[in-house]
Amino acid sequence: FFKPQNTQPNTQDTVNIEQSSVETHNISDKDISFDVQGLRISDVVLKQHLKDSKSKESMALLADENDFIEVGFVSSDIQVPNINTKWKNISNDMVWNNDAKISFVRKVSVDGYVIKVSDTITNNSGKEINIAPYTRVVQHADNTKVSGAVETGGVVYANSKLNYANWNKLNKKSFAYSTVNGSFGFADQY
């Protein structure tokens, strides 16, 4: 378990990155649709929920240009996919190989309102490698609604413990957790 870091969030990488060359895929079922662009998930549309009582438009989460979920990797010894990586779509799997003969296969699926990201890494390099996964949710606090009766923000289940932080707190510092099994999500209000 790593304690929260008292650092300001780095928003530079969420604003000035050119991703136009990375292909976007839309995944959809009866309840939800969303865009996948490399490591990022955005424009989550809840098809069965209207934006408001007067609208016929479905509710969209993470719909602003700089709001997204990012599921990626860090490594100090090998090249890992980043947000500008051009993945190949092979049988609905996203595939990328680095120069060291390490293959990354990503499967993104949906189960009800749960977005599942499964990664398989195959090491054909002949060397031991060190890779750690990370996940981050970026939603700017000025885009969120606040109500005394509704908790909104990030939710993490790590080390058999549920952790919560509201959007304003998340915009001021980052949180890191080390766990074997866990999950993350976010609660929002509309």
Side-chain angles (χ1 to χ4, degrees):
F1 178 77
F2 296 103
K3 293 193 179 212
Q5 302 169 13
N6 289 321
T7 59
Q8 291 295 321
N10 182 358
T11 57
Q12 181 180 4
D13 64 347
T14 65
V15 178
N16 298 322
I17 292 175
E18 179 56 49
Q19 275 195 284
S20 61
S21 64
V22 179
E23 188 175 348
T24 301
H25 303 277
N26 184 269
I27 297 178
S28 184
D29 80 348
K30 67 180 179 63
D31 294 320
I32 189 172
S33 72
F34 54 93
D35 290 340
V36 178
Q37 185 179 27
L39 301 177
R40 292 185 175 176
I41 297 170
S42 62
D43 295 321
V44 179
V45 176
L46 307 177
K47 295 179 180 180
Q48 306 299 322
H49 300 275
L50 299 178
K51 193 170 188 173
D52 59 47
S53 61
K54 298 175 185 172
S55 175
K56 293 186 180 186
E57 184 179 346
S58 293
M59 182 62 212
L61 307 173
L62 302 173
D64 286 346
E65 182 179 344
N66 296 316
D67 294 347
F68 55 86
I69 299 168
E70 186 174 284
V71 182
F73 308 95
V74 292
S75 178
S76 60
D77 54 355
I78 66 160
Q79 182 184 15
V80 294
N82 62 44
I83 62 164
N84 295 315
T85 297
K86 294 181 183 177
W87 296 74
K88 292 180 184 173
N89 189 346
I90 300 174
S91 301
N92 291 325
D93 289 342
M94 295 168 51
V95 179
W96 180 76
N97 299 300
N98 71 9
D99 293 338
K101 299 182 183 176
I102 300 168
S103 175
F104 295 81
V105 178
R106 170 161 288 181
K107 184 179 289 292
V108 181
S109 61
V110 63
D111 182 9
Y113 290 102
V114 177
I115 299 171
K116 295 181 179 183
V117 178
S118 301
D119 292 305
T120 303
I121 301 169
T122 305
N123 180 6
N124 294 315
S125 70
K127 299 176 184 177
E128 186 174 303
I129 59 173
N130 295 303
I131 299 174
Y134 73 87
T135 303
R136 68 182 184 143
V137 178
V138 175
Q139 178 162 308
H140 297 85
D142 56 341
N143 297 336
T144 61
K145 295 180 182 179
V146 178
S147 169
V150 178
E151 292 284 343
T152 63
V155 180
V156 174
Y157 181 75
N159 303 311
S160 302
K161 184 178 176 187
L162 191 62
N163 301 282
Y164 169 79
N166 69 37
W167 292 123
N168 289 325
K169 190 175 185 179
L170 289 170
N171 274 350
K172 294 177 184 163
K173 65 179 169 180
S174 300
F175 292 82
Y177 302 91
S178 178
T179 186
V180 175
N181 287 319
S183 61
F184 85 97
F186 66 93
D188 216 339
Q189 167 184 345
Y190 58 91

